[in-house]
Amino acid sequence: MTTISELPVAPDEPIVEPRKSRKNNPEKTRENILQEAIVEFVQQGLSGARVDAIAERIHTSKRMIYYYFGSKEQLYIEVLEKLYGDIRTTENRLHLAELAPVEAIRRLVEFTFDHHDRNVDFVRIVSIENIHNAEYVKRSDAIKAMNNTILDSLGVILARGVEEGVFRTGLEPLDVHLLISSFCFYRVSNRHTIGEIFQIELPDEAIKQRHRAMICESVLRYLQA
């Protein structure tokens, strides 16, 4: 798919660094830009997103955004890195290595389900990136590195489960990750079409809890010896 990029400031138009003052906080500014960029990319997609619109939301200039990120495409890549980084960082706080294998898998499934349910923007951005054939994920070594951590964690959990006789042998961490992600991702990414076709309210709390429990039990049945 061909995308029309917004060109950065012309070379003969110098980029002015933000004036330094006691109130100037570069990290806060970058974070504000990223948060509003998420909204713009989710609503408009990569092709339709406008740097002008992001600048208007945070009452800054397009030039300021280019100063921090260089281009709309680089801003989009850093949005991807932020969203993937958020889920992987939170996973690391689950302390899965301290739990028994079955409980560790249950906690991981429940976390993944809840994260996707509460972070629709993550699901939509990943869907948008798939429309672009992962063109921008390919440009980010950080995304590949941070996502390897979940496979490492799953590998340790599965190995412990085999040793304790609760999981069968021959399980691949990537296969298990795909199984968990597919269950949790699909019900969010396709909630509108599923809801309309089958006349079901997927956001309904009772339905969510039923699906959450069903996914946990399905994954565990797949793993068990």
Side-chain angles (χ1 to χ4, degrees):
M1 176 180 294
T2 302
T3 61
I4 300 175
S5 303
E6 293 188 38
L7 296 176
V9 179
D12 58 349
E13 190 176 340
I15 296 177
V16 179
E17 292 192 17
R19 286 183 299 176
K20 298 183 182 299
S21 71
R22 286 178 297 177
K23 294 183 179 180
N24 188 41
N25 185 334
E27 289 305 313
K28 177 69 172 175
T29 301
R30 283 179 57 86
E31 180 64 22
N32 288 343
I33 293 170
L34 283 171
Q35 290 294 344
E36 292 305 328
I38 291 170
V39 175
E40 180 70 6
F41 287 128
V42 164
Q43 292 180 352
Q44 306 299 333
L46 174 58
S47 302
R50 294 173 54 248
V51 175
D52 282 333
I54 299 169
E56 288 171 7
R57 283 195 178 98
I58 54 176
H59 307 292
T60 189
S61 65
K62 185 164 69 172
R63 180 176 296 183
M64 178 71 78
I65 295 175
Y66 286 132
Y67 169 77
Y68 281 105
F69 296 96
S71 67
K72 184 175 81 169
E73 287 75 13
Q74 184 57 38
L75 175 57
Y76 174 72
I77 290 170
E78 296 204 31
V79 162
L80 286 169
E81 290 176 348
K82 173 177 172 51
L83 292 175
Y84 274 110
D86 286 347
I87 185 173
R88 300 286 90 96
T89 298
T90 310
E91 277 172 350
N92 289 337
R93 296 178 187 150
L94 298 177
H95 304 294
L96 299 176
E98 301 172 12
L99 301 174
V102 170
E103 185 57 33
I105 292 295
R106 187 181 299 277
R107 178 174 290 187
L108 179 60
V109 172
E110 290 175 346
F111 163 75
T112 306
F113 182 96
D114 293 340
H115 175 275
H116 289 5
D117 184 71
R118 296 168 184 167
N119 295 273
V120 178
D121 286 352
F122 171 78
V123 174
R124 293 194 65 176
I125 288 286
V126 172
S127 298
I128 289 168
E129 180 59 6
N130 274 282
I131 291 173
H132 292 279
N133 299 312
E135 177 182 349
Y136 297 93
V137 164
K138 292 174 187 174
R139 302 184 192 182
S140 173
D141 291 334
I143 291 176
K144 298 167 191 171
M146 70 178 69
N147 280 281
N148 282 332
T149 61
I150 185 58
L151 298 186
D152 294 340
S153 180
L154 271 171
V156 171
I157 296 168
L158 296 175
R160 287 196 293 118
V162 171
E163 289 175 5
E164 295 179 19
V166 294
F167 294 158
R168 60 188 175 85
T169 59
L171 295 165
E172 291 292 334
L174 180 57
D175 294 344
V176 178
H177 174 62
L178 288 175
L179 179 62
I180 296 170
S181 295
S182 61
F183 270 131
C184 299
F185 192 95
Y186 182 83
R187 69 177 302 280
V188 179
S189 66
N190 290 44
R191 63 170 52 176
H192 298 295
T193 50
I194 292 173
E196 186 58 35
I197 291 169
F198 298 106
Q199 292 297 292
I200 184 173
E201 294 290 338
L202 286 175
D204 178 81
E205 192 61 32
I207 294 175
K208 283 198 299 186
Q209 293 306 315
R210 186 174 79 240
H211 287 173
R212 191 172 186 261
M214 177 193 70
I215 292 169
C216 281
E217 295 310 312
S218 297
V219 171
L220 287 171
R221 279 200 299 271
Y222 172 76
L223 301 180
Q224 285 170 348

